[in-house]
Amino acid sequence: MNSTQKSWLHWQLLALIAGVYALSFFLPAVSIPMRLGPTTVDGKVVDPGGKLLPPMRLSGVDAFRMAVETGMAPLSRAGVAWFANPVIWLGVMLLALRKNVLAGLAGLLAVGLIVVTYVLEELDSGDKAAHHVGFWLWFSSAALLSVVGFALWLRDRMAREPSAPGAG
């Protein structure tokens, strides 16, 4: 593979990651269960609430906007998951700069943030959010970033190493 082909492949893979990430914003990402809170009149609880309401269904962009507008606490589960976004952005920039191993590490960190949040959500005994295709595409963009970063790093490393004697 010549250098022009390598460069073209690099940019195609970068576009694939960015496209998957962007697509995740426009598809349903999560349905958040909602419960009616207690109703108080003059400081006295007249209805304990607790009634389950229809879940709030958010697209990727709605979930992103909600996280930004509500200023999610950085150490909340949703806050930890949201921090995968700037890590993905950083990884894409590193990949564009051909810092492939750092891009792969950024992708791995983003995957870790998402997985930890997902596992904690599943272990919670309360009402659970339902994850939809937008969430899984978002997760896939982080996983793709990691795989592509490490694969391109490995390809470049193997290309620099001299071939073994007698190898064809």
Side-chain angles (χ1 to χ4, degrees), residues 6-7 9 22 45 80 92 105 112 120 130 137 146:
K6 285 181 181 178
S7 180
L9 176 64
V45 176
V80 169
V92 167
L105 289 170
L120 289 175
L137 282 172
S146 185

Side-chain angles (χ1 to χ4, degrees), residues 29-108:
V30 65
S31 294
I32 302 171
M34 304 293 288
R35 288 201 177 270
L36 190 60
T39 305
T40 59
V41 175
D42 295 329
K44 294 182 181 179
V45 176
V46 294
D47 182 352
K51 179 181 173 194
L52 191 60
L53 299 173
M56 182 170 46
R57 189 173 176 129
L58 302 173
S59 68
V61 74
D62 292 333
F64 185 90
R65 186 180 304 128
M66 178 188 250
V68 170
E69 289 174 356
T70 60
M72 285 193 180
L75 297 179
S76 70
R77 277 192 302 232
V80 169
W82 186 88
F83 278 107
N85 288 298
V87 172
I88 292 169
W89 304 335
L90 174 65
V92 167
M93 288 188 295
L94 289 166
L95 196 60
L97 295 171
R98 300 191 186 280
K99 305 293 184 189
N100 298 331
V101 74
L102 293 175
L105 289 170
L108 199 57

Side-chain angles (χ1 to χ4, degrees), residues 60 84 108 120 122 127 136 140 152:
L108 199 57
L120 289 175
E122 289 301 310
D127 298 324
W136 295 110
S140 297
L152 290 176

Side-chain angles (χ1 to χ4, degrees), residues 5-24:
Q5 290 171 323
K6 285 181 181 178
S7 180
W8 183 243
L9 176 64
H10 183 93
W11 289 107
Q12 286 177 323
L13 292 171
L14 188 61
L16 173 66
I17 294 164
V20 169
Y21 179 83
L23 184 60
S24 75

